[in-house]
């Protein structure tokens, strides 16, 4: 957690301007479009690096959540953390793969490209926002840890809902022109994973 805190501080000092753009783009579609339209190879490389940071911070949050509820995989801190980070990377990677296939099968490459870019930006924001949560869960008094732990869930849910709203604006034409394909994607890649996560958490915390 101290490594993540030092990392996010260093990233903010080095790439604060780009991160501030990401923050503004979460509530301003014009900024998001500007970032997408004028993105450069250097910016994309930096954004992918931030995306990797999201995997690490999310994986560490899952590790904290797991040990708090006695469902850890018992491989030690580093191995468990990396395992959960790879799990997050696999889930997000699967989503990007489905988006790529969707763009190959149907004439929606522009919308899919913008949606994938928005997914990257909101993932980066989730990774940044969850760092202080990880720190608070790790060092807060025992009676406050569950509060901060579940605050992390609200962070993820909040960012995810903002991502869905932005995605709705991006895919407006697709929803009207190809409603069946749009609903198929929404059910398979947005709703179904949430139901699986909800079922897992319900069984785990029951």
């Amino acid at each position: 957690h101290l490594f993540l805190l030092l990392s996010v501080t260093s990233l903010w000092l080095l790439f604060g301007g780009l991160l501030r753009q990401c923050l503004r783009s979460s509530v301003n579609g014009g900024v998001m479009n500007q970032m997408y339209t004028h993105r450069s190879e250097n910016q994309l490389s930096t954004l992918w690096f931030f995306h990797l940071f999201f995997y690490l911070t999310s994986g560490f949050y899952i590790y904290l959540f797991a040990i708090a509820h006695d469902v850890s995989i018992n491989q030690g801190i580093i191995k468990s953390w990396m395992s959960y980070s790879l799990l997050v990377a696999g889930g997000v990677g699967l989503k990007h793969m489905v988006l790529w296939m969707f763009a190959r099968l149907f004439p929606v490459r522009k919308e899919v490209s913008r949606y994938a870019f928005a997914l990257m930006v909101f993932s980066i924001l989730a990774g940044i926002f969850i760092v202080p949560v990880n720190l608070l869960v790790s060092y807060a008094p025992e009676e406050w840890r569950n509060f901060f732990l579940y605050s992390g869930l609200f962070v993820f849910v909040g960012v995810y809902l903002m991502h869905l709203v932005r995605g709705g604006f991006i895919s407006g034409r697709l929803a009207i022109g190809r409603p069946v394909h749009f609903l198929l994607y929404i059910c398979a890649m947005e709703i179904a994973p949430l139901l699986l996560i909800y079922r897992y958490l319900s069984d785990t915390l029951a």
Side-chain angles (χ1 to χ4, degrees):
H1 35 73
L2 292 179
F3 165 75
L4 294 177
L5 179 62
L6 290 174
S7 297
V8 74
T9 303
S10 300
L11 291 174
W12 187 268
L13 291 174
L14 292 172
F15 307 106
L18 185 57
L19 288 174
R20 283 190 289 272
Q21 274 191 302
C22 291
L23 285 170
R24 291 197 300 271
S25 71
S26 65
V27 294
N28 189 322
V31 177
M32 178 74 76
N33 291 334
Q34 186 179 27
M35 285 185 65
Y36 174 80
T37 304
H38 299 290
R39 66 196 186 283
S40 64
E41 289 297 326
N42 288 336
Q43 283 182 326
L44 279 177
S45 298
T46 305
L47 289 173
W48 276 112
F49 183 76
F50 288 146
H51 211 219
L52 175 63
F53 185 73
F54 158 71
Y55 298 149
L56 294 174
T57 55
S58 300
F60 193 75
Y61 173 81
I62 296 174
Y63 165 74
L64 293 174
F65 194 93
I67 60 174
H69 295 90
D70 297 321
V71 292
S72 177
I73 57 178
N74 297 318
Q75 292 185 355
I77 295 177
I78 301 300
K79 287 186 178 181
S80 297
W81 176 16
M82 292 300 106
S83 297
Y84 292 129
S85 298
L86 287 174
L87 179 66
V88 175
V92 176
L94 177 63
K95 190 168 185 175
H96 278 287
M97 185 179 297
V98 172
L99 286 171
W100 178 80
M101 292 175 61
F102 203 71
R104 296 281 292 181
L105 293 172
F106 307 106
V108 291
R109 290 192 178 185
K110 181 179 178 180
E111 289 84 355
V112 168
S113 179
R114 287 181 178 273
Y115 185 83
F117 183 79
L119 174 62
M120 176 190 291
V121 170
F122 280 100
S123 297
I124 290 168
L125 294 180
I128 298 296
F129 293 155
I130 207 64
V131 170
V133 174
N134 289 342
L135 194 65
L136 289 169
V137 173
S138 300
Y139 290 107
E142 189 70 32
E143 61 271 18
W144 283 96
R145 289 184 181 177
N146 278 342
F147 170 77
F148 291 124
L149 195 63
Y150 285 98
S151 296
L153 287 180
F154 282 105
V155 168
F156 282 118
V157 170
V159 173
Y160 183 72
L161 290 177
M162 292 173 67
H163 162 64
L164 286 184
V165 171
R166 180 68 60 214
F169 285 114
I170 294 173
S171 60
R173 183 182 69 84
L174 176 61
I176 296 173
R178 295 178 177 272
V180 175
H181 301 117
F182 177 77
L183 290 175
L184 180 63
Y185 170 79
I186 290 295
C187 292
M189 295 306 299
E190 304 293 350
I191 297 177
L194 290 180
L195 293 177
L196 289 174
I197 293 173
Y198 173 77
R199 176 63 181 273
Y200 175 77
L201 291 177
S202 299
D203 293 342
T204 301
L205 304 180

